[in-house]
Amino acid sequence: MTSEPQQMFSNPGNEPEVTAAWEAFLSGDGRPLETLRSLVDASWQRCLQAQVDPHARRGPQPVSDQDLFLLRERQREMLEASAPVMACARDFLSETGTLMALADTSGTILATEGDVRAIGSAETIRLMPGVSWSEDLAGTNAIGTALAVGQPVQIHSAEHFCEGIKRWTCSATVLRHPLDGEVVGVLDVSGLSQTYNRQTLALVVTAASRIENRLAASEMERRYRLLDHAVGRLARAGQDGVVLFDRLGCPIKANEHAADAIAAAGGELDLARARRLPALAAQRVGRGKLAGLPAWIRPEWLEPLVVQGEPMGTLLVVPTSARTRVPVPRPSAPAGAAPVAPPAADAFSSLVTADAGLQDVIAKARQLSRSRAPVLLHGETGVGKEEFARGIHGAGTGAYVALNCGGLSRELLASELFGYAEGAFTGARKGGMVGKIEAANGGTLFLDEIGEMPLDMQPNLLRVLEQGELYRLGENTPRKVRFRLIAATHRDLRQEIAAGRFRMDLYYRIAVTSLRIPPLRERRGDIPLLARFFLQRFRTEQGLEPGALSEEVVQALQAYAWPGNVRELRNIIEGAVLLSEGPVLTLDALPREFLETVQSAPSGPAAAPAGGVCSIAEGEEALIRRAIEASGGNLTLAARQLGIAKSTLYVKLQRYGLSRAGARA
């Protein structure tokens, strides 16, 4: 939407002045009158430069039926997304004297719906399917001008450049792809001049938004299918660097080796600010049309992914053999910043575990710490997501800045995240305030519980990630920022997207790489290990000699479900140390409510039936574990028992962080 409302709306009361301006403009006797909107003035200038006939009575000749069929086939996705909206137009525009038109990026109309009489009248000026209404062919009109300026426009009566369509009024807006904002078409509502209504433009914008939402849902479903199809190949990548591109050539997933592998191969691919690479579009790669590839990408590194006969994406696999031992340069600290101390030998040394699954996650996090790609951490409350975030940052430079997006009002979160200028609101700090994003410039920003971020604030964060600049609240001057984003959530963001509570484009921007941190109940062997670690730490802090856990305490800790995970265990041990009277921690020192919960819990886990597979109500994760155990680690058999595809099982194994060690593929 333009910031100048007068540029958007026509003024039907000044038609004589506009007509006089048009005549003066064509005669060359001077510039158009000041009453003419600059939007229209600029459009007329473009029409004059394109040598559009100002006395044309109608639009250009339509394309042939065969060419129109081919155009519609190429735009099938947009036509399918717009079908319900166009069907509604057939009803709510009936008897209004107006019609709705859907056009492609060349301005060629693909479909029309609406008032039957309006459609008939429109055909007299060739406002019908198969005709291009671009500015350079049909002069100033809502379809062509909206495409020219990339924003909603309303063109009324005499404002049209061509004489034959000056008795019409039209409102249009461009349709943009939900992932990268690229223009994919235009939606228009037109009628004879007497049907003019300022609200028509709002109707068009709302209808266009519905179409874009349907495009987003379709793209999300397509990406899920692609990820499901590719997850097995990603799991088998070994030390190779792998990047998954969608059908449009936009990177959506990378493994932990990708950034280093690409840099070592002499390439550059900023996974933190992903952009579409047309040369890697699925249709081109699948047909062997590799012209325009970046020089560092070898054609043999590309693997087209075809799902049920449809090209869905491309895998870029940079093999280990392509790497060199040239060190990858790291971003320097911003000018004027204080020197940063060298990172510790191992930033993850504070994580205590003997669990193979968690050790695998730590190894992956250690790999990711050497890149600048965004990381999304999945895990329940208390599993240690911030410890992982600090560990990933530990190998980098600059400041580490953390912000929890949950529990803050929308206004407070906005000011904390983006900062504000002096006087931005009542009570604003003198001199303004630096936001967390700006404070993280040159370093790492950790956004915990990002799933709690209000939906209307998410586009602002997405804009910062895409453009590398932010606006403080109350300021009009952008500030350049560059930082590494680590986000964390306990929510299933895919379900949040489906429910309309989280933006799909933001999800794919922050989840270039992702890690799932298993909850404490999945790594029972870590419970006594962590308990003893916390026991010694807190006794040392209290100036006490080393202590020990009684066997009864160990059994009680093992029997508990730990909904609060490591944080809850740490708090219980800390409280017990304060209440313990001797070096051996006994049951008497544990909280009464904790002991009551343990005593009321079943004596042991319910035994699985002979087949090893129980009801899905017991939990998908537990069900998958039992299926794999019952099949002896054979994933093909386990998938068959679960009634799902093997590729789907791979996705779920990755989602729950289940170890595949020893499983036979």
Side-chain angles (χ1 to χ4, degrees):
M1 303 288 282
T2 178
S3 59
E4 299 288 343
Q6 68 271 18
Q7 297 300 308
M8 185 181 299
F9 297 107
S10 304
N11 179 9
N14 70 341
E15 287 187 41
E17 291 89 347
V18 175
T19 300
W22 180 72
E23 293 172 348
F25 180 77
L26 296 181
S27 67
D29 289 341
R31 298 286 300 156
L33 299 180
E34 293 181 357
T35 54
L36 187 67
R37 294 188 295 154
S38 60
L39 172 75
V40 178
D41 182 2
S43 176
W44 286 4
Q45 296 288 346
R46 291 192 296 270
C47 294
L48 190 65
Q49 187 175 4
Q51 298 182 341
V52 178
D53 180 6
H55 301 293
R57 309 302 302 174
R58 58 185 64 83
Q61 288 287 342
V63 300
S64 66
D65 290 344
Q66 181 179 1
D67 287 342
L68 178 58
F69 173 80
L70 294 176
L71 284 175
R72 285 172 168 166
E73 280 296 298
R74 285 198 289 269
Q75 298 295 334
R76 179 183 297 179
E77 180 186 0
M78 185 171 67
L79 285 167
E80 290 177 351
S82 64
V85 175
M86 299 296 286
C88 288
R90 189 185 310 137
D91 298 326
F92 65 71
L93 295 183
S94 178
E95 306 300 328
T96 66
T98 59
L99 63 94
M100 179 175 285
L102 178 72
D104 64 12
T105 53
S106 70
T108 302
I109 297 175
L110 303 175
T112 57
E113 286 288 359
D115 185 88
V116 175
R117 290 174 300 173
I119 292 175
S121 298
E123 290 179 353
T124 64
I125 62 168
R126 294 181 182 154
L127 186 65
M128 62 186 191
V131 179
S132 174
W133 281 77
S134 63
E135 271 192 348
D136 57 354
L137 292 177
T140 304
N141 70 93
I143 293 176
T145 305
L147 285 170
V149 301
Q151 65 183 26
V153 298
Q154 190 170 54
I155 303 296
H156 176 64
S157 193
E159 292 180 327
H160 289 88
F161 185 75
C162 294
E163 187 175 10
I165 55 176
K166 286 182 176 290
R167 62 193 188 98
W168 285 77
T169 184
C170 47
S171 305
T173 188
V174 291
L175 297 167
R176 296 186 180 275
H177 195 278
L179 297 183
D180 59 8
E182 181 175 324
V183 174
V184 294
V186 62
L187 191 68
D188 167 81
V189 170
S190 293
L192 292 173
S193 298
Q194 59 267 28
T195 66
Y196 171 83
N197 190 322
R198 287 173 63 95
Q199 301 305 317
T200 302
L201 188 59
L203 166 67
V204 171
V205 171
T206 301
S209 178
R210 289 184 58 196
I211 295 174
E212 290 171 346
N213 289 339
R214 288 181 58 83
L215 284 171
S218 175
E219 195 65 42
M220 181 174 65
E221 188 275 336
R222 186 179 285 107
R223 281 194 167 185
Y224 286 168
R225 289 168 55 201
L226 175 61
L227 287 167
D228 186 61
H229 182 77
V231 68
R233 180 63 183 87
L234 286 166
R236 297 191 302 272
Q239 297 299 309
D240 294 340
V242 181
V243 182
L244 175 63
F245 293 83
D246 68 7
R247 66 192 182 97
L248 302 174
C250 200
I252 62 172
K253 190 75 174 177
N255 70 354
E256 62 271 21
H257 307 297
D260 284 349
I262 291 170
E268 183 179 358
L269 184 63
D270 191 349
L271 298 173
R273 299 176 62 190
R275 288 291 187 271
R276 185 185 299 194
L277 294 180
L280 293 180
Q283 291 283 357
R284 297 185 61 178
V285 175
R287 295 174 182 174
K289 299 180 179 179
L290 302 179
L293 276 180
W296 62 272
I297 297 181
R298 300 179 186 174
E300 61 267 25
W301 293 351
L302 301 177
E303 299 180 12
L305 298 177
V306 180
V307 182
Q308 296 178 347
E310 179 184 0
M312 293 287 290
T314 304
L315 271 179
L316 168 63
V317 182
V318 183
T320 306
S321 58
R323 300 194 192 187
T324 68
R325 294 189 176 273
V326 178
V328 179
R330 301 210 176 272
S332 58
V340 180
D346 185 357
F348 296 92
S349 57
S350 62
L351 296 173
V352 178
T353 183
D355 181 75
L358 185 58
Q359 288 174 348
D360 182 58
V361 177
I362 293 173
K364 292 178 179 177
R366 191 176 285 114
Q367 291 274 2
L368 292 174
S369 68
R370 297 197 288 267
S371 77
R372 298 284 294 178
V375 179
L376 178 62
L377 302 174
H378 292 274
E380 297 176 3
T381 299
V383 295
K385 296 188 288 292
E386 181 155 6
E387 284 72 15
F388 269 84
R390 288 184 178 276
I392 293 172
H393 164 73
T397 59
Y400 172 86
V401 180
L403 176 65
N404 192 313
C405 299
L408 296 177
S409 67
R410 184 197 178 283
E411 293 74 17
L412 182 56
L413 179 58
S415 62
E416 285 287 326
L417 196 58
F418 302 104
Y420 55 80
E422 181 176 349
F425 50 84
T426 303
R429 184 184 304 172
K430 184 178 181 180
M433 187 184 80
V434 175
K436 293 295 191 291
I437 294 178
E438 199 174 342
N441 188 29
T444 299
L445 175 66
F446 173 56
L447 293 182
D448 199 4
E449 300 302 348
I450 195 169
E452 309 290 335
M453 180 176 288
L455 185 63
D456 61 346
M457 194 182 298
Q458 294 172 23
N460 299 327
L461 175 60
L462 178 63
R463 189 177 303 113
V464 173
L465 296 175
E466 290 183 333
Q467 300 178 1
E469 60 183 30
L470 63 79
Y471 292 84
R472 287 187 184 180
L473 302 181
E475 279 190 348
N476 295 319
T477 303
R479 297 170 181 263
K480 292 292 183 181
V481 289
R482 183 172 178 81
F483 57 93
R484 196 252 182 85
L485 177 67
I486 303 175
T489 182
H490 71 281
R491 296 176 178 269
D492 185 336
L493 292 186
R494 292 187 177 186
Q495 292 183 3
E496 296 298 296
I497 293 171
R501 292 188 292 266
F502 202 84
R503 291 179 63 101
M504 180 179 64
D505 46 6
L506 178 59
Y507 171 75
Y508 283 112
R509 186 69 72 225
I510 66 176
V512 173
T513 55
S514 59
L515 295 174
R516 178 185 177 273
I517 306 172
L520 187 56
R521 64 180 175 275
E522 290 183 10
R523 40 193 179 97
R524 292 283 173 180
D526 279 353
I527 295 175
L529 184 68
L530 286 165
R532 293 186 179 99
F533 170 80
F534 290 134
L535 175 68
Q536 304 308 334
R537 189 176 92 179
F538 293 129
R539 287 187 66 85
T540 300
E541 290 178 0
Q542 295 297 320
L544 302 174
E545 62 186 31
L549 301 173
S550 70
E551 186 61 32
E552 292 81 5
V553 168
V554 173
Q555 292 176 359
L557 296 177
Q558 290 275 34
Y560 188 57
W562 298 109
N565 291 289
V566 178
R567 182 185 297 134
E568 185 180 11
L569 174 60
R570 181 193 63 199
N571 292 343
I572 284 181
I573 297 300
E574 183 177 14
V577 167
L578 296 174
L579 295 174
S580 179
E581 298 180 353
V584 178
L585 195 150
T586 63
L587 290 176
D588 295 337
L590 297 179
R592 184 176 65 180
E593 59 272 16
F594 170 81
L595 294 174
E596 290 175 349
T597 302
V598 171
Q599 292 168 359
S600 63
S603 58
V613 181
C614 300
S615 167
I616 193 66
E618 294 184 24
E620 187 178 64
E621 182 179 343
L623 188 65
I624 292 172
R625 284 179 176 275
R626 290 170 183 150
I628 294 176
E629 182 181 351
S631 65
N634 187 315
L635 298 187
T636 300
L637 180 58
R640 188 178 301 125
Q641 287 182 324
L642 291 166
I644 59 178
K646 185 179 177 182
S647 58
T648 302
L649 179 57
Y650 274 119
V651 173
K652 295 183 183 299
L653 290 176
Q654 185 181 47
R655 179 182 303 167
Y656 296 118
L658 299 179
S659 174
R660 296 189 292 275
R664 299 189 302 274

